[in-house]
Amino acid sequence: MTAPVRQTALAWLRDDALPLWHRLGWDAKSGGFVERLTADGLPDLEAPRRVRVQMRQIYVYASAAHERLYGPAEKLALDTLDFLLTRCRPKGATAGFAHLTDSRGQVTDAKIDAYDQAFALLALAAVYRMNGDVQVRALIDAELSFIDAQIAETATGLWLEGVPTSLPRRQNPQMHAFEAFLALYEATDDADY
Protein backbone atom coordinates (compact mmCIF):
# COMPACT_ATOMS: atom_id res chain seq x y z
CA MET A 1 0.00 0.00 0.00
CA THR A 2 1.45 3.35 -0.98
CA ALA A 3 1.84 6.05 1.66
CA PRO A 4 -0.95 8.30 0.27
CA VAL A 5 -3.39 5.38 0.08
CA ARG A 6 -2.46 4.32 3.61
CA GLN A 7 -2.96 7.86 4.92
CA THR A 8 -6.34 8.12 3.19
CA ALA A 9 -7.45 4.80 4.67
CA LEU A 10 -6.27 5.75 8.17
CA ALA A 11 -8.00 9.12 7.95
CA TRP A 12 -11.26 7.42 6.91
CA LEU A 13 -10.94 4.95 9.78
CA ARG A 14 -10.05 7.61 12.36
CA ASP A 15 -12.42 10.35 11.22
CA ASP A 16 -15.38 8.41 9.83
CA ALA A 17 -15.68 4.67 10.58
CA LEU A 18 -14.61 4.54 14.24
CA PRO A 19 -16.70 7.57 15.30
CA LEU A 20 -19.72 6.38 13.31
CA TRP A 21 -19.79 2.93 14.92
CA HIS A 22 -19.12 4.50 18.31
CA ARG A 23 -21.99 6.97 17.90
CA LEU A 24 -24.53 4.72 16.16
CA GLY A 25 -23.33 1.17 16.74
CA TRP A 26 -22.74 1.14 20.49
CA ASP A 27 -25.94 0.32 22.38
CA ALA A 28 -25.63 2.34 25.59
CA LYS A 29 -28.92 0.94 26.92
CA SER A 30 -28.38 -2.81 26.48
CA GLY A 31 -24.62 -2.89 26.02
CA GLY A 32 -22.59 -4.21 23.15
CA PHE A 33 -22.73 -3.23 19.52
CA VAL A 34 -25.75 -3.50 17.27
CA GLU A 35 -25.56 -6.05 14.50
CA ARG A 36 -26.10 -3.57 11.68
CA LEU A 37 -27.29 -0.18 10.57
CA THR A 38 -30.45 0.19 8.51
CA ALA A 39 -30.48 1.44 4.92
CA ASP A 40 -31.25 4.87 6.42
CA GLY A 41 -28.04 4.72 8.47
CA LEU A 42 -29.77 4.19 11.80
CA PRO A 43 -28.91 1.47 14.32
CA ASP A 44 -31.11 -1.61 14.02
CA LEU A 45 -31.84 -1.92 17.73
CA GLU A 46 -34.16 -4.92 17.34
CA ALA A 47 -31.94 -7.25 15.28
CA PRO A 48 -30.47 -10.32 16.96
CA ARG A 49 -26.73 -10.01 17.52
CA ARG A 50 -24.03 -12.46 16.59
CA VAL A 51 -21.56 -12.62 19.42
CA ARG A 52 -18.84 -12.71 16.75
CA VAL A 53 -19.73 -9.09 15.92
CA GLN A 54 -18.89 -8.07 19.50
CA MET A 55 -15.54 -9.83 19.17
CA ARG A 56 -14.77 -8.13 15.88
CA GLN A 57 -15.57 -4.73 17.38
CA ILE A 58 -13.32 -5.47 20.35
CA TYR A 59 -10.53 -6.29 17.90
CA VAL A 60 -11.12 -3.11 15.86
CA TYR A 61 -11.29 -0.73 18.82
CA ALA A 62 -8.43 -2.37 20.74
CA SER A 63 -6.29 -2.16 17.60
CA ALA A 64 -7.29 1.48 17.14
CA ALA A 65 -6.35 2.17 20.77
CA HIS A 66 -3.01 0.43 20.32
CA GLU A 67 -2.32 2.63 17.28
CA ARG A 68 -3.68 5.73 19.06
CA LEU A 69 -6.14 6.37 16.25
CA TYR A 70 -9.25 7.18 18.26
CA GLY A 71 -9.38 8.56 21.80
CA PRO A 72 -12.38 6.57 23.12
CA ALA A 73 -11.21 3.31 21.49
CA GLU A 74 -9.72 1.70 24.61
CA LYS A 75 -12.83 2.34 26.70
CA LEU A 76 -15.07 0.97 23.93
CA ALA A 77 -12.92 -2.15 23.59
CA LEU A 78 -13.00 -2.75 27.35
CA ASP A 79 -16.72 -2.01 27.67
CA THR A 80 -17.43 -4.47 24.86
CA LEU A 81 -15.15 -7.05 26.47
CA ASP A 82 -17.09 -6.64 29.70
CA PHE A 83 -20.35 -7.15 27.77
CA LEU A 84 -18.88 -10.24 26.11
CA LEU A 85 -17.73 -11.78 29.39
CA THR A 86 -20.87 -11.02 31.38
CA ARG A 87 -23.61 -11.53 28.80
CA CYS A 88 -22.38 -13.75 25.96
CA ARG A 89 -21.55 -17.05 27.58
CA PRO A 90 -23.89 -20.03 27.70
CA LYS A 91 -25.68 -20.20 31.04
CA GLY A 92 -23.29 -21.25 33.80
CA ALA A 93 -20.23 -21.37 31.51
CA THR A 94 -16.91 -19.87 32.52
CA ALA A 95 -15.27 -20.41 29.13
CA GLY A 96 -16.48 -20.54 25.55
CA PHE A 97 -18.88 -18.05 24.03
CA ALA A 98 -22.43 -18.41 22.80
CA HIS A 99 -23.37 -17.79 19.18
CA LEU A 100 -26.25 -15.33 19.33
CA THR A 101 -28.02 -12.89 21.64
CA ASP A 102 -31.23 -10.98 21.27
CA SER A 103 -31.21 -7.19 21.03
CA ARG A 104 -31.12 -6.91 24.83
CA GLY A 105 -28.01 -9.06 25.17
CA GLN A 106 -29.73 -12.25 26.36
CA VAL A 107 -28.29 -15.47 24.89
CA THR A 108 -30.73 -16.99 22.40
CA ASP A 109 -28.39 -19.54 20.79
CA ALA A 110 -25.93 -21.09 23.23
CA LYS A 111 -24.17 -23.14 20.55
CA ILE A 112 -20.40 -22.97 20.88
CA ASP A 113 -19.25 -22.36 17.29
CA ALA A 114 -15.56 -22.80 16.48
CA TYR A 115 -15.73 -19.80 14.14
CA ASP A 116 -16.87 -17.60 17.03
CA GLN A 117 -14.18 -18.98 19.35
CA ALA A 118 -11.47 -18.04 16.84
CA PHE A 119 -12.75 -14.45 16.91
CA ALA A 120 -12.77 -14.54 20.71
CA LEU A 121 -9.05 -15.35 20.67
CA LEU A 122 -8.42 -12.60 18.12
CA ALA A 123 -10.28 -10.08 20.29
CA LEU A 124 -8.44 -11.15 23.45
CA ALA A 125 -5.10 -10.94 21.63
CA ALA A 126 -5.89 -7.37 20.56
CA VAL A 127 -6.87 -6.35 24.09
CA TYR A 128 -3.74 -7.94 25.53
CA ARG A 129 -1.60 -6.15 22.93
CA MET A 130 -3.41 -2.92 23.84
CA ASN A 131 -2.87 -3.08 27.60
CA GLY A 132 -0.83 -6.15 28.65
CA ASP A 133 -3.34 -6.93 31.40
CA VAL A 134 -2.52 -10.22 33.18
CA GLN A 135 -6.24 -10.89 33.66
CA VAL A 136 -6.69 -10.81 29.89
CA ARG A 137 -3.77 -13.25 29.54
CA ALA A 138 -5.54 -15.54 32.02
CA LEU A 139 -8.71 -15.30 29.90
CA ILE A 140 -6.70 -16.30 26.82
CA ASP A 141 -5.30 -19.32 28.64
CA ALA A 142 -8.77 -20.32 29.90
CA GLU A 143 -10.27 -20.06 26.41
CA LEU A 144 -7.45 -22.11 24.93
CA SER A 145 -7.89 -24.79 27.59
CA PHE A 146 -11.60 -24.89 26.80
CA ILE A 147 -10.94 -25.15 23.06
CA ASP A 148 -8.36 -27.89 23.57
CA ALA A 149 -10.78 -29.87 25.71
CA GLN A 150 -14.01 -29.29 23.77
CA ILE A 151 -13.27 -28.35 20.16
CA ALA A 152 -9.81 -29.50 19.11
CA GLU A 153 -9.78 -32.84 17.33
CA THR A 154 -7.10 -35.02 18.88
CA ALA A 155 -6.13 -36.92 15.72
CA THR A 156 -5.56 -33.96 13.41
CA GLY A 157 -5.21 -30.90 15.65
CA LEU A 158 -7.91 -29.20 13.60
CA TRP A 159 -10.98 -27.77 15.25
CA LEU A 160 -14.35 -29.46 15.15
CA GLU A 161 -17.28 -27.24 14.25
CA GLY A 162 -18.13 -26.57 17.87
CA VAL A 163 -20.17 -27.90 20.75
CA PRO A 164 -22.17 -29.83 19.81
CA THR A 165 -20.15 -30.86 16.77
CA SER A 166 -21.85 -30.81 13.40
CA LEU A 167 -21.31 -31.23 9.68
CA PRO A 168 -20.34 -30.03 7.19
CA ARG A 169 -16.81 -29.11 8.20
CA ARG A 170 -15.88 -25.53 7.35
CA GLN A 171 -12.63 -23.90 6.39
CA ASN A 172 -13.33 -20.52 8.04
CA PRO A 173 -12.89 -21.62 11.68
CA GLN A 174 -9.47 -23.07 10.82
CA MET A 175 -8.43 -19.98 8.85
CA HIS A 176 -9.49 -17.58 11.59
CA ALA A 177 -7.89 -19.77 14.27
CA PHE A 178 -4.61 -19.42 12.36
CA GLU A 179 -5.13 -15.65 12.24
CA ALA A 180 -5.88 -15.61 15.98
CA PHE A 181 -2.74 -17.57 16.84
CA LEU A 182 -0.63 -15.17 14.77
CA ALA A 183 -2.21 -12.28 16.71
CA LEU A 184 -1.61 -14.07 20.03
CA TYR A 185 2.04 -14.56 19.15
CA GLU A 186 2.39 -10.92 18.11
CA ALA A 187 0.71 -9.72 21.31
CA THR A 188 2.58 -11.98 23.73
CA ASP A 189 5.81 -13.00 21.97
CA ASP A 190 5.03 -16.48 23.33
CA ALA A 191 6.36 -19.13 20.95
CA ASP A 192 3.66 -21.60 22.11
CA TYR A 193 1.21 -19.71 19.90
Side-chain angles (χ1 to χ4, degrees):
M1 181 181 301
T2 65
V5 171
R6 184 178 193 283
Q7 290 307 314
T8 299
L10 285 174
W12 170 81
L13 183 64
R14 180 190 62 239
D15 300 335
D16 298 317
L18 293 169
L20 178 128
W21 277 98
H22 179 191
R23 189 177 69 254
L24 297 175
W26 177 255
D27 184 347
K29 181 179 177 187
S30 297
F33 278 89
V34 299
E35 177 76 16
R36 61 182 172 245
L37 302 179
T38 67
D40 297 329
L42 300 173
D44 186 345
L45 295 172
E46 297 306 314
R49 299 173 185 179
R50 292 173 294 163
V51 173
R52 183 181 324 142
V53 169
Q54 307 308 313
M55 298 162 181
R56 286 176 174 170
Q57 292 289 42
I58 291 168
Y59 172 80
V60 166
Y61 282 98
S63 296
H66 177 75
E67 298 296 329
R68 293 177 171 55
L69 287 176
Y70 184 64
E74 182 172 358
K75 181 173 178 358
L76 271 171
L78 293 175
D79 287 350
T80 311
L81 178 61
D82 182 62
F83 175 81
L84 184 71
L85 294 172
T86 59
R87 308 281 293 281
C88 299
R89 294 208 192 264
K91 188 173 183 154
T94 58
F97 293 95
H99 181 63
L100 194 65
T101 71
D102 65 15
S103 62
R104 295 173 313 283
Q106 301 299 311
V107 171
T108 57
D109 185 346
K111 167 180 67 178
I112 304 288
D113 189 315
Y115 195 14
D116 299 335
Q117 306 322 298
F119 276 100
L121 292 175
L122 185 67
L124 291 170
V127 172
Y128 187 77
R129 185 178 68 155
M130 176 184 76
N131 66 13
D133 189 320
V134 295
Q135 291 177 343
V136 174
R137 182 64 187 260
L139 286 169
I140 292 168
D141 292 339
E143 292 307 314
L144 287 171
S145 293
F146 172 81
I147 289 167
D148 284 345
Q150 299 293 320
I151 297 175
E153 187 176 49
T154 309
T156 64
L158 297 175
W159 288 5
L160 299 171
E161 292 307 298
V163 181
T165 192
S166 62
L167 292 174
R169 299 293 297 271
R170 297 170 294 169
Q171 169 187 330
N172 278 356
Q174 314 302 326
M175 176 184 64
H176 288 292
F178 181 66
E179 175 186 36
F181 281 103
L182 290 173
L184 286 167
Y185 175 69
E186 182 181 322
T188 65
D189 202 33
D190 186 334
D192 285 348
Y193 300 123

